[in-house]
Amino acid sequence: MYSARDQRDNREWLARIDAAADGLELGSEARSYASDMFLTQLPDEERSKQAVAAASLYAGALIAGEERSQTAVAESMDVSRLSIQQRWKDLLREAGFRPPSW
């Protein structure tokens, strides 16, 4: 769980997630999952937030059944595809989901 303070302090990152979701034409469910995962898994290091936000958006889209490619999400969040690839399965596990083995 996350606090209202975390949400307030990271509104810029949440806005970036939302803007990228707009570009990817993702629905409200994917956005909600992405925001919740990002805030729940919030990294301490500011420099890690962009990659975690991107991985959260990718994972949120998967959970909502609106899968987008890692490349498309990476481009929309201005990170490398590898940043997403290295993080999304752990985000799903931490959120209580079992990531696919592919």
Side-chain angles (χ1 to χ4, degrees), residues 28-98:
S28 60
E29 189 176 17
R31 295 164 195 252
S32 179
Y33 286 133
S35 295
D36 286 347
M37 276 191 280
F38 173 72
L39 291 170
T40 302
Q41 307 294 320
L42 198 60
D44 293 330
E45 304 269 337
E46 188 69 29
R47 65 187 177 133
S48 299
K49 288 183 180 180
Q50 189 167 2
V52 173
S56 295
L57 183 57
Y58 177 75
L62 284 177
I63 294 168
E66 297 184 56
E67 183 178 349
R68 302 295 189 269
S69 71
Q70 289 180 9
T71 301
V73 175
E75 288 173 359
S76 72
M77 292 293 293
D78 197 29
V79 299
S80 70
R81 186 189 62 78
L82 187 59
S83 294
I84 293 173
Q85 183 182 356
Q86 292 175 333
R87 291 173 175 83
W88 72 273
K89 287 184 180 181
D90 289 338
L91 286 173
L92 283 179
R93 278 188 204 96
E94 291 296 320
F97 294 94
R98 187 172 28 163

Side-chain angles (χ1 to χ4, degrees), residues 4-19:
R5 182 180 184 171
D6 287 339
Q7 193 170 11
R8 184 196 69 221
D9 291 348
N10 290 284
R11 64 180 167 252
E12 177 186 333
W13 289 107
L14 296 172
R16 285 185 180 188
I17 290 171
D18 201 44

